[in-house]
Amino acid sequence: RQALQQDPGDASNLANYAMFMHRARRDYDRAEQYFERACRAAPGNGAVLGHFAQFLFRVRQDLGRADRMFKRGLELEPNNVTSLVNYASLLKRLGRSEQAEGLYGRALEAEPKHATALCNYANLIVKSADPEDRRPESIQRLRKAQELYLQALRVEPDHHMARRNYAIFLRDFPGLRSQRWESGPREPARSRALQQPPPPSSPPPAQGGRRRRSTSPGGHGRRRRSRSPEQGRVREPALERVIE
């Protein structure tokens, strides 16, 4: 705020204060006012326009205005990676996936090691994938998504969204690790209990024709029920798909 008081017409100071009002104070009306002042102060600053566009997209949900603002910003700064990635997210929301993919490509040309761009590009591919589609071109697309996730994790191993979304990817496409998945339809899923060999046959009854009864530690003489390997195992909850 002191910087803004010293130079109230500086676009960067105005934009920074707008983001402060947005993120720290949650005063969205004042944030929008300062964004507008920043844009008037520096109409040729593509980064400021990109930040305002992201605010309009995520906070105001004014997708049409955000679309126009992103376009203006990228005309001024075509290689602004932050604007490219954020605009691609908006285009996905608008159903313009091909254009979004083109923006991710541009972002990675400008900054190949941008972990969020790599992750979001992979998300775009996976979101439109069909787990039952075995066509070579579809498998190739999934391989590309897998490599994008791995690149993001090599760049930033603790990237939360990349780690989580890659775990979901491996859950939804487990056969991608094997060549058998690519060669034909998947085999029906079988439980581990069915895949294990059958248990040995019961011992013959004792003399006298009576079968010995196993007793519990309490000595009540009840027959124990055999449990399959799946019983008693805590199942992991299904991961929620997280995009962006």
Side-chain angles (χ1 to χ4, degrees):
R1 189 166 186 175
Q2 292 179 355
L4 188 60
Q5 290 174 349
Q6 293 175 0
D7 191 355
D10 183 80
S12 297
N13 291 339
L14 289 165
N16 288 335
Y17 193 65
M19 287 188 281
F20 170 76
M21 298 303 295
H22 163 210
R23 297 172 182 171
R25 296 292 182 83
R26 299 292 191 270
D27 189 340
Y28 301 137
D29 290 338
R30 291 190 68 190
E32 185 168 355
Q33 292 173 6
Y34 278 97
F35 271 128
E36 289 175 343
R37 286 179 57 184
C39 291
R40 287 195 298 269
N45 190 322
V48 170
L49 293 173
H51 286 303
F52 189 22
Q54 181 72 350
F55 172 84
L56 294 171
F57 170 30
R58 295 297 185 183
V59 178
R60 294 304 197 191
Q61 296 292 307
D62 190 343
L63 306 188
R65 192 177 174 196
D67 189 1
R68 294 189 295 272
M69 196 69 67
F70 272 127
K71 285 180 180 178
R72 285 175 52 194
L74 287 171
E75 286 173 358
L76 296 166
E77 297 183 20
N79 294 325
N80 186 305
V81 176
T82 300
S83 294
L84 288 167
V85 173
N86 290 335
Y87 188 27
S89 296
L90 172 62
L91 292 177
K92 285 193 295 183
R93 175 80 68 85
L94 295 172
R96 292 150 61 182
S97 297
E98 291 186 5
Q99 295 180 38
E101 187 166 354
L103 292 183
Y104 285 133
R106 285 172 55 186
L108 292 174
E109 285 180 5
E111 190 173 339
K113 294 185 178 181
H114 194 288
T116 299
L118 290 163
C119 176
N120 286 1
Y121 192 0
N123 293 341
L124 174 67
I125 295 173
V126 173
K127 189 175 182 180
S128 61
D130 181 2
E132 302 301 325
D133 190 348
R134 300 293 186 274
R135 292 177 300 170
E137 58 270 23
S138 300
I139 295 170
Q140 185 176 3
R141 290 272 293 171
L142 288 173
R143 292 288 186 195
K144 180 177 181 178
Q146 185 176 34
E147 181 57 29
L148 288 168
Y149 281 132
L150 293 174
Q151 287 182 40
L153 292 171
R154 283 193 289 268
V155 171
E156 194 174 330
D158 294 329
H159 193 286
H160 171 71
M161 299 306 295
R163 290 170 62 90
R164 187 170 177 81
N165 285 332
Y166 187 47
I168 296 170
F169 173 84
L170 293 177
R171 182 199 67 183
D172 291 348
F173 302 94
L176 200 63
R177 299 176 179 178
S178 66
Q179 295 297 323
R180 182 178 58 186
W181 188 83
E182 300 183 11
S183 61
R186 279 185 299 184
E187 297 179 359
R190 299 179 181 180
S191 67
R192 294 181 182 177
L194 293 178
Q195 292 177 354
Q196 292 184 357
S201 58
S202 302
Q207 292 182 357
R210 298 182 63 185
R211 186 187 300 269
R212 296 184 64 184
R213 301 172 67 186
S214 61
T215 58
S216 63
H220 298 293
R222 293 184 178 180
R223 182 179 300 173
R224 291 183 177 178
R225 292 184 179 180
S226 61
R227 296 195 307 174
S228 70
E230 293 295 330
Q231 291 178 333
R233 179 177 298 161
V234 179
R235 295 194 177 194
E236 296 182 2
L239 290 173
E240 180 183 357
R241 182 177 295 279
V242 179
I243 301 298
E244 299 307 330

